Amino acid sequence: MAEVARRTATRRHYLMCRPTHFEVTYTINPWMDPRKPMDAGLALAQWERVRDLYLGFGHQVSFIDPVPGLPDMVFSANGATVVDGKVLIAKFRHQERAAEADAYRAWFEEHGHCGLRVPEYVNEGEGDFAPAGRRILAGAGFRSDPGAVAELRAFFGLPVTGLTLTDPRFYHLDTALFVLDDDLVAYYPAAFSEESQEELRRLYPDAVIATREDADAFGLNAVSDGLNVVVTETATHLIGELRERGFEVHGVDMSELLKAGGAVKCITQEIRRP
Ligand code: ARG
């Protein structure tokens, strides 16, 4: 029998936003239908479950106050990208979410950082940017501007690999790929252009490859600390693969946040200190 890799967790610091004002009132991605009923109490319970898992793993979790009238603010991954304590604030594609950027900027101004940049190009934070070890993967195609790649590289001083998303259902990089460890990712190939698929194969020959069903279940919108992976429980093929690779999988139900096109990763921004 093949030996199972030994995984180790590292302590993380996450930023989350309670879904107090969460609603589906507009449509800016193919998953959002304001006519569909959404259970706000259940959405809150699902969010709390993810928060409690992080606290149980020993991670630090900070909270930004939700702002009335910004129903998507619960998706804190989109607010900024933080690497080495440096903060690149988001600039949203859609007017409906534009004001979230100011709220995140104010939070980081109050909570300390090693440098903060208000961007020139549209970028939706960790929705499209995935720091992986000393590299940043940067998705574009639907939300973040391809021009953000050069801005990222210059601001963080790290190599950045641009990836092109081609399926509108997987409109943010974090709906199609997540980082398991510094040099390991999981992704759904068909969400990317041919060139980007080739680049991913070259960078991550051992990657975990997800199926269409896993991607539809938002299984790639997951969070890993190197050992524990929090993932939508319906991504059953992916969960099996992760267990085989030695990860401890924690399946969660995200039914209500999925109605806005988000799941585990979307509600989790990572604050990476130097
Ligand atoms: N309704 C939000 C939007 O379309 C969902 C954002 C999900 N966040 C994420 N990191 N993918 O912008």
Side-chain angles (χ1 to χ4, degrees):
M1 204 177 105
E3 208 179 306
V4 177
R6 193 184 292 272
R7 305 289 170 188
T8 45
T10 53
R11 188 163 188 259
R12 309 295 170 122
H13 181 186
Y14 296 130
L15 176 61
M16 299 182 75
C17 179
R18 198 177 178 81
T20 312
H21 309 294
F22 174 63
E23 272 184 291
V24 183
T25 53
Y26 49 75
T27 304
I28 57 172
N29 69 54
W31 307 89
M32 301 176 87
D33 179 355
R35 292 165 311 188
K36 258 200 199 160
M38 189 278 295
D39 181 338
L42 184 55
L44 175 61
Q46 293 173 343
W47 178 91
E48 286 178 332
R49 165 93 181 117
V50 174
R51 176 203 59 193
D52 291 347
L53 280 169
Y54 294 151
L55 293 171
F57 301 151
H59 299 320
Q60 180 183 353
V61 184
S62 295
F63 302 95
I64 180 171
D65 288 334
V67 175
L70 296 177
D72 271 337
M73 196 173 161
V74 59
F75 300 116
S76 59
N78 299 128
T81 306
V82 185
V83 179
D84 296 337
K86 293 162 78 176
V87 183
L88 179 67
I89 298 295
K91 178 172 175 177
F92 286 86
R93 168 77 53 196
H94 299 98
Q95 195 45 46
E96 290 88 338
R97 299 195 66 185
E100 291 181 39
D102 304 321
Y104 281 95
R105 180 184 179 170
W107 193 89
F108 280 104
E109 280 171 352
E110 268 170 45
H111 290 82
H113 50 79
C114 314
L116 181 148
R117 179 176 169 88
V118 175
E120 184 179 339
Y121 291 95
V122 167
N123 89 69
E124 297 200 347
E126 288 196 283
D128 277 322
F129 301 154
R134 301 307 289 163
R135 169 185 306 280
I136 303 176
L137 304 175
F142 299 99
R143 299 290 181 87
S144 298
D145 191 297
V149 167
E151 189 171 14
L152 266 181
R153 203 176 272 138
F155 181 63
F156 290 112
L158 290 172
V160 178
T161 301
L163 297 168
T164 305
L165 297 163
T166 53
D167 181 336
R169 292 160 60 80
F170 307 112
Y171 58 94
H172 272 145
L173 179 64
D174 73 359
T175 64
L177 176 149
F178 76 103
V179 176
L180 281 157
D181 215 334
D182 286 0
D183 48 17
L184 185 64
V185 302
Y187 67 98
Y188 173 52
F192 297 90
S193 69
E194 284 297 333
E195 289 98 308
S196 296
Q197 290 183 37
E198 212 168 283
E199 186 67 18
L200 285 168
R201 276 195 299 271
R202 195 182 63 76
L203 283 173
Y204 304 105
D206 296 330
V208 175
I209 301 297
T211 61
R212 169 86 199 196
E213 289 71 30
D214 293 328
D216 279 342
F218 261 67
L220 294 159
N221 198 248
V223 172
S224 167
D225 66 11
L227 169 66
N228 301 289
V229 180
V230 184
V231 58
T232 47
E233 64 195 4
T234 44
T236 49
H237 163 268
L238 177 64
I239 287 174
E241 292 282 303
L242 294 171
R243 290 204 167 117
E244 242 167 67
R245 301 286 193 109
F247 292 97
E248 281 181 19
V249 178
H250 307 265
V252 291
D253 181 6
M254 290 271 103
S255 66
E256 301 314 286
L257 294 157
L258 280 170
K259 292 173 184 166
V264 180
K265 173 59 203 175
C266 298
I267 60 171
T268 312
Q269 185 189 138
E270 185 168 348
I271 298 179
R272 300 173 190 81
R273 298 285 174 190

